[in-house]
Amino acid sequence: MGTHVVTGAASGMGAATARVLREAGHTVIGIDLRDADITADLGTDEGRAAAVSEVLERCAGRLDGVAAVAGVGPSMPDAGTVVSVNYFNPVRLLEGLLPALAASGAGRVVVIGSNSSTTVPMIDDQLVGHLLAGDEETAREHARAAQDAAPASVRATSPTISAYATTKFALARWARRTAVTPEWARRGVLLNVVAPGAVVTPLMLAGGRPEDLDADAFPTPMPLGVFGDPEDIAFWVHQFLRPEARFTTGAVLCVDGGTDAAMRPDAQPTAMTV
């Protein structure tokens, strides 16, 4: 059995993942703003550094896996916060924990993306560039300016939908680029992305009630006619974290009830052009 870190462990998909790992016999170090083994604000450099330091102390410098689940949704009022929490939180945390993951000889990492990165037509290419360049302050400023320039109707319903989809898009691209570098791949540390769709969590409900949700009236197709539960995501996170998952890295798995396939049936596979 191993030692795993789960961010966002106090609720939703993070809590479900922590529970599944503990039931499988693993030691889990949960991180969240409250009600967790480590309380830290992963939206700040100070919080990330403190979390990394405490994790390394608790695991004695050897870590078997990380599930980077913590994030905020498109109802968050500030796009700068979305940038810091959804992108720089997992990237900076994982950079700090990489030596401990490599020390295990078979480290496993899963980051939570979103099918919004492929189904929301509001990806901000400039913001993607700032994110992948690692420029947090410029990315925050750009995201806030773009939010202010968005149509009033968008700001009223999903004020940070573009920043949300874009940070998840950039995170998946970062993971695919990073997973195949020698610093990760040749040290046995595998990095994959689980991209959920509509999952009933506090983030999705945002003050509503589960019984008010109607899959057939949802803005995007729901081929199965049901929404996901946090446990549906936790199952696949656990599979990627297993030692047996030794030949999978750089993958992005949509766990969305078929939404991405319904909206973009011919997007994958896409033939490589010369």
Side-chain angles (χ1 to χ4, degrees):
M1 296 297 101
T3 300
H4 295 73
V5 167
V6 178
T7 69
S11 65
M13 292 181 284
T17 298
R19 183 167 56 253
V20 166
L21 289 170
R22 289 189 174 109
E23 288 174 354
H26 299 292
T27 297
V28 174
I29 304 171
I31 305 176
D32 213 316
L33 288 169
R34 62 188 67 84
D35 302 325
D37 302 297
I38 298 173
T39 56
D41 181 357
L42 297 178
T44 68
D45 273 336
E46 296 78 14
R48 298 165 200 147
V52 167
S53 178
E54 189 165 348
V55 167
L56 294 177
E57 182 177 347
R58 286 173 177 254
C59 73
R62 184 186 182 281
L63 198 57
D64 296 288
V66 177
V69 183
V72 293
S75 61
M76 172 62 62
D78 174 41
T81 300
V82 176
V83 162
S84 291
V85 175
N86 283 4
Y87 184 83
F88 287 100
N89 146 32
V91 169
R92 297 284 187 258
L93 189 78
L94 293 171
E95 288 171 345
L97 296 178
L98 178 57
L101 287 159
S104 78
R108 304 283 186 264
V109 177
V110 179
V111 296
I112 296 297
S114 171
N115 75 346
S116 294
S117 64
T118 55
T119 61
V120 172
M122 299 179 70
I123 301 300
D124 184 333
D125 290 334
Q126 264 192 288
L127 180 55
V128 171
H130 296 317
L131 294 168
L132 293 173
D135 190 342
E136 184 168 4
E137 193 52 44
T138 299
R140 286 170 60 91
E141 291 173 1
H142 177 91
R144 285 170 171 157
Q147 180 184 0
D148 290 340
S153 58
V154 172
R155 297 199 306 271
T157 55
S158 297
T160 51
I161 182 62
S162 178
Y164 175 78
T166 301
T167 53
K168 294 298 189 178
F169 178 94
L171 183 61
R173 183 166 287 181
W174 171 85
R176 283 179 58 80
R177 291 181 177 184
T178 301
V180 295
T181 62
E183 291 80 9
W184 285 68
R186 291 306 173 96
R187 297 166 80 184
V189 183
L190 309 186
L191 171 59
N192 294 291
V193 182
V194 170
V199 176
V200 181
T201 65
L203 185 151
M204 177 182 169
L205 291 172
R209 301 175 304 169
E211 57 267 30
D212 294 332
L213 296 174
D214 181 357
D216 291 326
F218 203 64
T220 54
M222 300 294 294
L224 296 182
V226 296
F227 294 101
D229 290 323
E231 289 74 16
D232 296 317
I233 308 305
F235 171 83
W236 286 108
V237 173
H238 184 207
Q239 302 314 302
F240 277 130
L241 292 176
R242 291 168 62 92
E244 294 85 352
R246 56 173 293 274
F247 199 54
T248 304
T249 198
V252 180
L253 175 68
C254 282
V255 184
D256 66 353
T259 296
D260 183 77
M263 294 181 69
R264 309 183 324 128
D266 300 325
Q268 293 295 333
T270 300
M272 183 176 179
T273 57
V274 178

